[in-house]
Amino acid sequence: MTNDNGLDYLPRDAAHATLVGRVWRPAPIDGPSVVAVRNGVVFDITAAVPTMADLLDQPDPAAVARTAPGESLGPVGPLLQGSIRHGGADAAAHPAAMTLLAPCDVQAIKACGVTFAVSLLERLIEERTGGDAGAAQAMRATLQETLGTDLRAIKPGSESALRLKETLIGRGAWSQYMEVGIGTDAEVFSKSQPMSAVGFGAEVGLLPASEWNNPEPEIVLAVNSRGETVGATLGNDVNLRDIEGRSALLLGKAKDNNGSCAIGPFIRLFDAHYGIDDVRNDSVSLLIEGKDDGFVLNGVSHMREISRDPLELVAQTYGRHHQYPDGFMLFLGTMFSPIQDRGTPGSGFTHKSGDRVTIASPGLGKLINTVEKCTEIPPWTFGVRKLYANLARRGLLR
Protein backbone atom coordinates (compact mmCIF):
# COMPACT_ATOMS: atom_id res chain seq x y z
CA MET A 1 0.00 0.00 0.00
CA THR A 2 1.06 3.59 -0.46
CA ASN A 3 2.06 5.98 2.28
CA ASP A 4 -0.17 8.87 3.26
CA ASN A 5 1.25 11.35 0.74
CA GLY A 6 1.06 9.05 -2.28
CA LEU A 7 4.77 9.33 -3.12
CA ASP A 8 5.27 5.57 -2.84
CA TYR A 9 3.94 5.32 -6.40
CA LEU A 10 6.99 7.19 -7.73
CA PRO A 11 10.46 5.77 -8.50
CA ARG A 12 12.60 4.93 -5.50
CA ASP A 13 14.98 7.79 -6.41
CA ALA A 14 12.20 10.20 -7.35
CA ALA A 15 14.27 13.20 -6.28
CA HIS A 16 16.64 12.48 -9.17
CA ALA A 17 14.06 11.32 -11.72
CA THR A 18 12.94 13.43 -14.69
CA LEU A 19 9.25 12.52 -14.85
CA VAL A 20 6.77 13.68 -17.48
CA GLY A 21 3.18 12.72 -18.13
CA ARG A 22 -0.29 13.88 -19.04
CA VAL A 23 -3.23 14.97 -16.90
CA TRP A 24 -6.86 15.65 -17.65
CA ARG A 25 -7.66 19.22 -16.60
CA PRO A 26 -11.35 19.92 -15.98
CA ALA A 27 -13.28 23.05 -17.01
CA PRO A 28 -12.44 25.56 -18.26
CA ILE A 29 -9.56 23.65 -19.88
CA ASP A 30 -11.58 20.48 -20.50
CA GLY A 31 -8.65 18.68 -22.02
CA PRO A 32 -5.27 17.00 -21.54
CA SER A 33 -2.06 18.77 -20.59
CA VAL A 34 1.56 17.69 -20.76
CA VAL A 35 3.14 17.92 -17.31
CA ALA A 36 6.56 17.64 -15.69
CA VAL A 37 7.27 16.82 -12.04
CA ARG A 38 9.78 19.15 -10.41
CA ASN A 39 10.72 18.76 -6.75
CA GLY A 40 7.45 16.98 -6.07
CA VAL A 41 5.29 19.59 -7.82
CA VAL A 42 3.42 19.07 -11.10
CA PHE A 43 3.84 21.77 -13.77
CA ASP A 44 1.71 22.14 -16.89
CA ILE A 45 4.19 22.73 -19.76
CA THR A 46 1.69 22.37 -22.62
CA ALA A 47 2.36 25.93 -23.81
CA ALA A 48 5.93 24.84 -24.64
CA VAL A 49 5.14 21.30 -25.89
CA PRO A 50 1.47 20.81 -26.84
CA THR A 51 1.77 17.01 -27.04
CA MET A 52 3.98 14.37 -25.47
CA ALA A 53 5.19 13.55 -28.98
CA ASP A 54 6.41 17.15 -29.29
CA LEU A 55 8.30 16.89 -26.01
CA LEU A 56 9.99 13.60 -26.90
CA ASP A 57 11.09 15.05 -30.25
CA GLN A 58 13.05 17.86 -28.57
CA PRO A 59 16.86 17.64 -28.91
CA ASP A 60 17.07 17.23 -25.12
CA PRO A 61 13.65 16.26 -23.71
CA ALA A 62 14.92 16.06 -20.13
CA ALA A 63 16.25 19.61 -20.25
CA VAL A 64 12.92 20.89 -21.58
CA ALA A 65 11.05 19.01 -18.85
CA ARG A 66 13.23 20.63 -16.20
CA THR A 67 13.23 24.20 -17.53
CA ALA A 68 10.20 24.94 -19.74
CA PRO A 69 7.86 27.62 -18.31
CA GLY A 70 4.82 26.05 -16.72
CA GLU A 71 1.81 26.52 -14.47
CA SER A 72 1.93 24.82 -11.09
CA LEU A 73 -0.84 22.26 -10.60
CA GLY A 74 0.14 21.38 -7.05
CA PRO A 75 1.96 18.48 -5.37
CA VAL A 76 2.23 15.18 -7.23
CA GLY A 77 1.08 13.04 -4.29
CA PRO A 78 -2.54 14.27 -4.23
CA LEU A 79 -2.71 13.90 -8.04
CA LEU A 80 -1.72 10.24 -7.75
CA GLN A 81 -4.15 9.63 -4.91
CA GLY A 82 -6.94 11.43 -6.75
CA SER A 83 -6.32 9.38 -9.89
CA ILE A 84 -6.94 6.20 -7.93
CA ARG A 85 -9.97 7.69 -6.19
CA HIS A 86 -11.55 8.81 -9.47
CA GLY A 87 -10.43 5.81 -11.47
CA GLY A 88 -8.11 7.77 -13.79
CA ALA A 89 -11.13 7.91 -16.06
CA ASP A 90 -12.00 9.57 -19.32
CA ALA A 91 -13.43 13.07 -19.10
CA ALA A 92 -16.96 11.76 -19.64
CA ALA A 93 -16.81 9.95 -16.29
CA HIS A 94 -15.34 12.62 -14.00
CA PRO A 95 -15.46 16.00 -15.74
CA ALA A 96 -14.62 17.90 -12.56
CA ALA A 97 -11.59 15.84 -11.52
CA MET A 98 -7.95 16.34 -12.46
CA THR A 99 -6.50 12.87 -13.01
CA LEU A 100 -3.49 11.25 -14.61
CA LEU A 101 -3.84 9.99 -18.16
CA ALA A 102 -1.56 7.59 -20.00
CA PRO A 103 1.68 9.56 -20.51
CA CYS A 104 1.63 9.10 -24.31
CA ASP A 105 -0.76 10.70 -26.80
CA VAL A 106 -0.46 10.57 -30.60
CA GLN A 107 2.33 7.97 -30.65
CA ALA A 108 1.72 4.52 -32.10
CA ILE A 109 1.49 1.85 -29.39
CA LYS A 110 3.51 -1.23 -30.34
CA ALA A 111 4.30 -4.38 -28.40
CA CYS A 112 6.78 -7.23 -28.57
CA GLY A 113 5.76 -10.79 -27.78
CA VAL A 114 7.59 -13.93 -26.72
CA THR A 115 10.73 -12.11 -25.54
CA PHE A 116 11.13 -14.17 -22.35
CA ALA A 117 11.44 -17.94 -22.02
CA VAL A 118 8.46 -18.17 -19.67
CA SER A 119 6.21 -16.30 -22.09
CA LEU A 120 7.35 -18.55 -24.94
CA LEU A 121 6.36 -21.64 -22.97
CA GLU A 122 2.98 -20.17 -22.03
CA ARG A 123 2.19 -19.15 -25.63
CA LEU A 124 2.97 -22.72 -26.72
CA ILE A 125 0.59 -23.99 -24.04
CA GLU A 126 -2.19 -21.69 -25.24
CA GLU A 127 -1.65 -22.87 -28.81
CA ARG A 128 -1.54 -26.59 -28.03
CA THR A 129 -4.59 -26.48 -25.75
CA GLY A 130 -6.63 -24.27 -28.08
CA GLY A 131 -7.13 -21.79 -25.25
CA ASP A 132 -8.44 -24.40 -22.76
CA ALA A 133 -7.22 -23.38 -19.30
CA GLY A 134 -8.16 -26.76 -17.85
CA ALA A 135 -5.64 -28.54 -20.06
CA ALA A 136 -2.77 -26.14 -19.38
CA GLN A 137 -1.11 -27.92 -16.46
CA ALA A 138 -0.74 -31.25 -18.26
CA MET A 139 0.46 -29.54 -21.44
CA ARG A 140 3.05 -27.55 -19.46
CA ALA A 141 4.66 -30.76 -18.22
CA THR A 142 4.54 -32.35 -21.69
CA LEU A 143 6.20 -29.38 -23.37
CA GLN A 144 8.94 -29.13 -20.78
CA GLU A 145 9.79 -32.77 -21.42
CA THR A 146 9.63 -32.35 -25.21
CA LEU A 147 11.78 -29.24 -25.38
CA GLY A 148 14.43 -30.77 -23.15
CA THR A 149 16.41 -27.55 -22.89
CA ASP A 150 16.55 -24.32 -20.94
CA LEU A 151 15.08 -21.81 -23.37
CA ARG A 152 16.66 -18.96 -21.39
CA ALA A 153 20.08 -20.11 -22.62
CA ILE A 154 19.12 -19.81 -26.29
CA LYS A 155 20.02 -16.59 -28.11
CA PRO A 156 17.41 -15.91 -30.80
CA GLY A 157 18.76 -16.24 -34.32
CA SER A 158 22.00 -17.92 -33.21
CA GLU A 159 23.42 -21.13 -34.68
CA SER A 160 22.35 -23.06 -31.58
CA ALA A 161 18.82 -21.66 -31.94
CA LEU A 162 18.68 -22.78 -35.57
CA ARG A 163 19.91 -26.25 -34.60
CA LEU A 164 17.20 -26.47 -31.95
CA LYS A 165 14.68 -25.40 -34.57
CA GLU A 166 15.67 -28.30 -36.83
CA THR A 167 15.46 -30.72 -33.91
CA LEU A 168 12.00 -29.53 -32.92
CA ILE A 169 10.75 -29.65 -36.51
CA GLY A 170 11.91 -33.27 -36.59
CA ARG A 171 9.93 -33.99 -33.43
CA GLY A 172 6.85 -32.24 -34.79
CA ALA A 173 7.14 -29.70 -32.00
CA TRP A 174 7.81 -26.51 -34.00
CA SER A 175 5.41 -23.60 -33.62
CA GLN A 176 4.83 -20.07 -34.85
CA TYR A 177 5.64 -18.97 -31.31
CA MET A 178 8.97 -20.80 -31.41
CA GLU A 179 9.67 -18.98 -34.68
CA VAL A 180 9.49 -15.55 -33.03
CA GLY A 181 10.83 -16.77 -29.68
CA ILE A 182 14.17 -18.12 -30.89
CA GLY A 183 14.20 -17.23 -34.61
CA THR A 184 15.77 -14.22 -36.31
CA ASP A 185 12.68 -11.99 -36.35
CA ALA A 186 11.01 -10.67 -33.22
CA GLU A 187 7.24 -10.47 -32.87
CA VAL A 188 6.23 -6.80 -33.02
CA PHE A 189 2.52 -6.00 -33.23
CA SER A 190 0.20 -3.03 -32.81
CA LYS A 191 -1.13 -3.22 -29.26
CA SER A 192 -3.74 -0.46 -29.45
CA GLN A 193 -4.52 2.86 -31.10
CA PRO A 194 -2.99 6.28 -30.42
CA MET A 195 -4.85 8.00 -27.56
CA SER A 196 -6.55 4.74 -26.48
CA ALA A 197 -4.31 3.75 -23.56
CA VAL A 198 -5.58 4.30 -20.03
CA GLY A 199 -3.40 5.61 -17.24
CA PHE A 200 -2.57 5.22 -13.57
CA GLY A 201 -5.65 4.43 -11.46
CA ALA A 202 -7.94 3.62 -14.40
CA GLU A 203 -9.95 0.48 -14.99
CA VAL A 204 -8.58 -2.00 -17.52
CA GLY A 205 -11.01 -3.99 -19.65
CA LEU A 206 -11.60 -7.65 -20.48
CA LEU A 207 -13.89 -8.95 -23.20
CA PRO A 208 -16.90 -10.56 -21.49
CA ALA A 209 -16.41 -13.71 -23.60
CA SER A 210 -12.95 -14.37 -22.14
CA GLU A 211 -12.67 -16.92 -19.33
CA TRP A 212 -8.85 -17.24 -19.24
CA ASN A 213 -6.91 -14.00 -19.09
CA ASN A 214 -4.15 -12.23 -17.22
CA PRO A 215 -2.18 -9.01 -16.85
CA GLU A 216 1.15 -8.73 -18.65
CA PRO A 217 3.51 -6.49 -16.65
CA GLU A 218 6.09 -4.88 -18.91
CA ILE A 219 8.54 -2.05 -19.29
CA VAL A 220 7.54 0.28 -22.12
CA LEU A 221 10.09 2.37 -24.04
CA ALA A 222 9.30 5.87 -25.28
CA VAL A 223 10.78 6.32 -28.77
CA ASN A 224 10.67 9.58 -30.73
CA SER A 225 10.13 10.17 -34.44
CA ARG A 226 13.85 9.76 -35.12
CA GLY A 227 13.89 6.28 -33.61
CA GLU A 228 15.72 7.48 -30.50
CA THR A 229 14.80 5.81 -27.22
CA VAL A 230 14.41 8.72 -24.80
CA GLY A 231 12.60 7.26 -21.80
CA ALA A 232 10.72 4.39 -20.20
CA THR A 233 7.58 3.67 -18.21
CA LEU A 234 5.45 0.74 -17.07
CA GLY A 235 2.64 -0.98 -18.93
CA ASN A 236 -0.02 -3.65 -18.64
CA ASP A 237 -0.51 -5.47 -21.95
CA VAL A 238 -3.80 -7.08 -20.87
CA ASN A 239 -4.06 -10.49 -22.57
CA LEU A 240 -6.95 -12.86 -23.26
CA ARG A 241 -5.26 -16.26 -23.28
CA ASP A 242 -8.24 -18.30 -24.39
CA ILE A 243 -8.97 -16.10 -27.40
CA GLU A 244 -5.39 -15.93 -28.67
CA GLY A 245 -5.02 -19.65 -27.93
CA ARG A 246 -7.89 -20.48 -30.29
CA SER A 247 -6.01 -18.87 -33.17
CA ALA A 248 -3.04 -16.53 -33.51
CA LEU A 249 -5.14 -14.68 -36.09
CA LEU A 250 -7.31 -13.53 -33.17
CA LEU A 251 -4.36 -11.62 -31.68
CA GLY A 252 -6.03 -8.29 -32.41
CA LYS A 253 -9.22 -9.39 -30.68
CA ALA A 254 -7.23 -10.66 -27.70
CA LYS A 255 -5.09 -7.54 -27.36
CA ASP A 256 -7.00 -4.45 -28.51
CA ASN A 257 -10.20 -3.70 -26.62
CA ASN A 258 -11.61 -0.85 -24.58
CA GLY A 259 -9.17 -0.27 -21.72
CA SER A 260 -6.94 -3.22 -22.61
CA CYS A 261 -3.74 -1.12 -22.59
CA ALA A 262 -2.53 0.68 -19.45
CA ILE A 263 0.62 2.83 -19.35
CA GLY A 264 2.10 4.96 -16.56
CA PRO A 265 2.24 6.58 -14.17
CA PHE A 266 4.89 8.79 -15.81
CA ILE A 267 7.55 8.47 -18.50
CA ARG A 268 10.97 8.64 -16.90
CA LEU A 269 13.17 10.50 -19.37
CA PHE A 270 16.74 9.35 -19.89
CA ASP A 271 19.31 11.64 -18.28
CA ALA A 272 22.47 11.43 -16.17
CA HIS A 273 20.59 9.48 -13.48
CA TYR A 274 18.70 6.91 -15.60
CA GLY A 275 19.23 5.39 -19.03
CA ILE A 276 18.91 2.27 -21.15
CA ASP A 277 21.36 0.31 -18.98
CA ASP A 278 19.04 0.92 -16.02
CA VAL A 279 16.19 -0.56 -18.07
CA ARG A 280 18.35 -3.60 -18.86
CA ASN A 281 19.06 -4.14 -15.16
CA ASP A 282 15.65 -3.29 -13.73
CA SER A 283 13.21 -5.72 -12.15
CA VAL A 284 9.43 -5.74 -12.49
CA SER A 285 7.03 -6.98 -9.83
CA LEU A 286 3.38 -7.95 -10.13
CA LEU A 287 0.78 -7.95 -7.36
CA ILE A 288 -2.81 -9.06 -7.98
CA GLU A 289 -5.34 -8.59 -5.18
CA GLY A 290 -8.87 -10.01 -5.51
CA LYS A 291 -11.67 -7.72 -4.44
CA ASP A 292 -14.08 -10.33 -3.09
CA ASP A 293 -12.24 -13.66 -2.76
CA GLY A 294 -9.12 -12.57 -0.86
CA PHE A 295 -6.91 -13.94 -3.63
CA VAL A 296 -3.33 -12.64 -3.68
CA LEU A 297 -0.67 -13.36 -6.27
CA ASN A 298 2.73 -11.72 -6.35
CA GLY A 299 6.10 -12.25 -7.94
CA VAL A 300 9.10 -10.51 -9.39
CA SER A 301 11.07 -10.98 -12.59
CA HIS A 302 14.19 -9.46 -14.02
CA MET A 303 14.89 -7.69 -17.28
CA ARG A 304 18.28 -9.40 -17.56
CA GLU A 305 16.38 -12.54 -18.61
CA ILE A 306 15.04 -10.93 -21.79
CA SER A 307 16.05 -12.86 -24.91
CA ARG A 308 16.58 -9.80 -27.12
CA ASP A 309 18.16 -6.53 -26.07
CA PRO A 310 15.64 -3.67 -25.75
CA LEU A 311 17.42 -1.61 -28.41
CA GLU A 312 17.39 -4.59 -30.79
CA LEU A 313 13.61 -4.62 -30.40
CA VAL A 314 13.49 -0.91 -31.19
CA ALA A 315 15.61 -1.54 -34.30
CA GLN A 316 13.26 -4.30 -35.44
CA THR A 317 10.37 -1.84 -35.08
CA TYR A 318 11.85 1.35 -36.54
CA GLY A 319 14.21 1.80 -39.51
CA ARG A 320 14.29 2.21 -43.24
CA HIS A 321 11.59 -0.47 -43.38
CA HIS A 322 9.15 1.47 -41.13
CA GLN A 323 9.03 5.03 -39.82
CA TYR A 324 6.88 6.57 -37.09
CA PRO A 325 6.46 10.33 -37.66
CA ASP A 326 4.80 10.77 -34.25
CA GLY A 327 7.06 8.34 -32.42
CA PHE A 328 5.94 5.18 -30.66
CA MET A 329 5.65 3.43 -27.33
CA LEU A 330 7.13 -0.08 -27.31
CA PHE A 331 6.11 -2.78 -24.82
CA LEU A 332 9.17 -5.03 -24.36
CA GLY A 333 7.27 -8.24 -23.61
CA THR A 334 6.10 -9.90 -20.45
CA MET A 335 8.38 -11.81 -18.13
CA PHE A 336 5.54 -12.98 -15.90
CA SER A 337 2.72 -15.36 -16.86
CA PRO A 338 0.74 -16.14 -13.69
CA ILE A 339 -0.19 -19.82 -13.41
CA GLN A 340 -1.17 -20.00 -9.72
CA ASP A 341 -4.53 -21.77 -9.33
CA ARG A 342 -7.35 -19.46 -8.37
CA GLY A 343 -10.15 -22.00 -8.35
CA THR A 344 -10.21 -25.66 -9.36
CA PRO A 345 -6.77 -27.30 -9.07
CA GLY A 346 -5.06 -27.24 -12.45
CA SER A 347 -7.22 -24.42 -13.81
CA GLY A 348 -4.51 -21.78 -13.33
CA PHE A 349 -5.08 -18.05 -12.99
CA THR A 350 -7.70 -15.81 -14.53
CA HIS A 351 -8.96 -12.36 -13.60
CA LYS A 352 -12.15 -11.52 -11.75
CA SER A 353 -13.92 -8.18 -11.80
CA GLY A 354 -12.54 -5.85 -9.18
CA ASP A 355 -9.02 -7.26 -9.17
CA ARG A 356 -6.42 -4.66 -8.29
CA VAL A 357 -3.21 -4.99 -10.32
CA THR A 358 0.02 -3.32 -9.24
CA ILE A 359 3.00 -3.38 -11.60
CA ALA A 360 6.14 -1.86 -10.11
CA SER A 361 9.85 -1.36 -10.60
CA PRO A 362 12.40 0.50 -8.46
CA GLY A 363 13.33 2.81 -11.32
CA LEU A 364 9.88 3.56 -12.74
CA GLY A 365 7.43 3.53 -9.82
CA LYS A 366 4.06 1.80 -9.69
CA LEU A 367 1.22 1.41 -12.18
CA ILE A 368 -2.05 0.54 -10.47
CA ASN A 369 -5.29 -0.43 -12.23
CA THR A 370 -8.47 -2.31 -11.44
CA VAL A 371 -10.07 -4.93 -13.68
CA GLU A 372 -13.56 -4.86 -15.17
CA LYS A 373 -15.36 -5.99 -18.30
CA CYS A 374 -14.47 -3.73 -21.22
CA THR A 375 -18.18 -3.20 -21.84
CA GLU A 376 -18.64 -1.85 -18.31
CA ILE A 377 -15.86 0.76 -18.15
CA PRO A 378 -16.06 4.29 -19.59
CA PRO A 379 -15.96 4.19 -23.40
CA TRP A 380 -13.00 5.68 -25.24
CA THR A 381 -14.29 8.99 -26.61
CA PHE A 382 -11.33 11.41 -26.70
CA GLY A 383 -9.24 10.72 -29.79
CA VAL A 384 -6.71 12.57 -31.94
CA ARG A 385 -9.26 14.93 -33.55
CA LYS A 386 -10.65 16.01 -30.18
CA LEU A 387 -7.11 16.49 -28.87
CA TYR A 388 -6.20 18.91 -31.65
CA ALA A 389 -9.55 20.68 -31.48
CA ASN A 390 -8.99 21.23 -27.76
CA LEU A 391 -5.42 22.46 -28.26
CA ALA A 392 -6.61 24.83 -31.01
CA ARG A 393 -9.33 26.26 -28.75
CA ARG A 394 -6.67 26.88 -26.09
CA GLY A 395 -4.44 28.65 -28.63
CA LEU A 396 -1.64 26.10 -28.23
CA LEU A 397 -1.11 25.07 -31.84
CA ARG A 398 1.61 26.78 -33.79
Side-chain angles (χ1 to χ4, degrees):
M1 299 298 291
T2 183
N3 54 34
D4 289 339
N5 59 20
L7 299 182
D8 189 49
Y9 300 125
L10 297 177
R12 186 174 295 170
D13 62 336
H16 300 293
T18 305
L19 302 176
V20 294
R22 295 169 62 245
V23 301
W24 180 267
R25 295 192 62 181
I29 299 296
D30 273 334
S33 286
V34 177
V35 298
V37 181
R38 302 169 182 166
N39 298 317
V41 178
V42 180
F43 287 86
D44 184 338
I45 59 172
T46 317
V49 280
T51 68
M52 183 59 69
D54 290 314
L55 173 58
L56 300 186
D57 259 8
Q58 297 297 309
D60 187 346
V64 173
R66 289 191 294 266
T67 63
E71 174 190 356
S72 173
L73 302 181
V76 66
L79 173 63
L80 289 158
Q81 292 173 317
S83 296
I84 290 180
R85 188 163 56 248
H86 294 294
D90 185 276
H94 293 284
M98 185 170 71
T99 57
L100 275 171
L101 302 170
C104 52
D105 40 45
V106 297
Q107 296 96 328
I109 303 176
K110 308 293 286 188
C112 299
V114 200
T115 54
F116 290 83
V118 64
S119 63
L120 171 55
L121 179 62
E122 292 304 312
R123 296 297 86 77
L124 291 171
I125 290 168
E126 292 166 11
E127 180 184 49
R128 297 299 176 87
T129 63
D132 180 2
Q137 186 174 23
M139 181 57 66
R140 189 172 292 112
T142 298
L143 280 172
Q144 288 171 337
E145 181 179 351
T146 300
L147 294 174
T149 188
D150 184 357
L151 294 172
R152 292 173 298 181
I154 299 296
K155 178 176 174 56
S158 65
E159 290 186 9
S160 59
L162 297 178
R163 287 195 299 270
L164 175 60
K165 175 178 179 177
E166 294 303 317
T167 299
L168 294 174
I169 289 175
R171 295 180 185 174
W174 192 245
S175 160
Q176 58 198 339
Y177 293 108
M178 294 293 290
E179 181 66 44
V180 295
I182 67 173
T184 302
D185 299 313
E187 178 189 15
V188 183
F189 59 93
S190 294
K191 166 60 184 177
S192 59
Q193 314 310 308
M195 298 289 294
S196 70
V198 299
F200 176 91
E203 293 175 312
V204 292
L206 306 171
L207 276 179
S210 176
E211 297 180 353
W212 186 24
N213 45 67
N214 61 263
E216 292 195 349
E218 307 186 23
I219 288 180
V220 184
L221 298 182
V223 185
N224 66 20
S225 67
R226 299 183 294 275
E228 300 164 342
T229 304
V230 295
T233 184
L234 296 170
N236 185 353
D237 175 13
V238 179
N239 188 39
L240 310 182
R241 301 190 65 179
D242 45 1
I243 291 177
E244 184 178 353
R246 281 163 44 203
S247 170
L249 298 181
L250 293 174
L251 179 66
K253 189 177 184 68
K255 291 290 190 179
D256 187 5
N257 298 289
N258 187 26
S260 65
C261 177
I263 301 177
F266 296 98
I267 293 172
R268 182 168 187 173
L269 295 175
F270 289 172
D271 58 15
H273 300 286
Y274 188 86
I276 192 64
D277 283 339
D278 296 285
V279 171
R280 292 179 176 119
N281 294 306
D282 213 339
S283 58
V284 177
S285 64
L286 172 67
L287 172 64
I288 303 171
E289 301 168 284
K291 178 181 179 182
D292 300 317
D293 61 358
F295 177 86
V296 175
L297 183 151
N298 57 59
V300 62
S301 296
H302 307 285
M303 281 295 295
R304 64 175 179 268
E305 296 181 7
I306 198 168
S307 61
R308 303 178 196 265
D309 185 76
L311 292 187
E312 178 192 346
L313 294 170
V314 172
Q316 291 220 18
T317 307
Y318 175 98
R320 292 188 66 184
H321 65 288
H322 201 318
Q323 298 78 48
Y324 292 85
D326 299 312
F328 61 97
M329 306 297 290
L330 184 64
F331 282 74
L332 293 178
T334 187
M335 58 199 86
F336 199 102
S337 295
I339 59 175
Q340 178 180 325
D341 288 337
R342 190 168 194 173
T344 306
S347 64
F349 171 83
T350 195
H351 270 309
K352 294 185 178 182
S353 292
D355 282 354
R356 177 183 167 109
V357 179
T358 302
I359 297 168
S361 89
L364 298 172
K366 295 180 180 179
L367 173 62
I368 296 179
N369 302 97
T370 53
V371 177
E372 190 48 83
K373 302 298 184 186
C374 66
T375 52
E376 302 299 321
I377 67 177
W380 173 35
T381 60
F382 198 94
V384 174
R385 289 187 301 167
K386 284 192 176 181
L387 169 65
Y388 279 95
N390 179 269
L391 293 173
R393 179 177 60 78
R394 293 157 63 182
L396 295 174
L397 295 183
R398 294 185 291 274

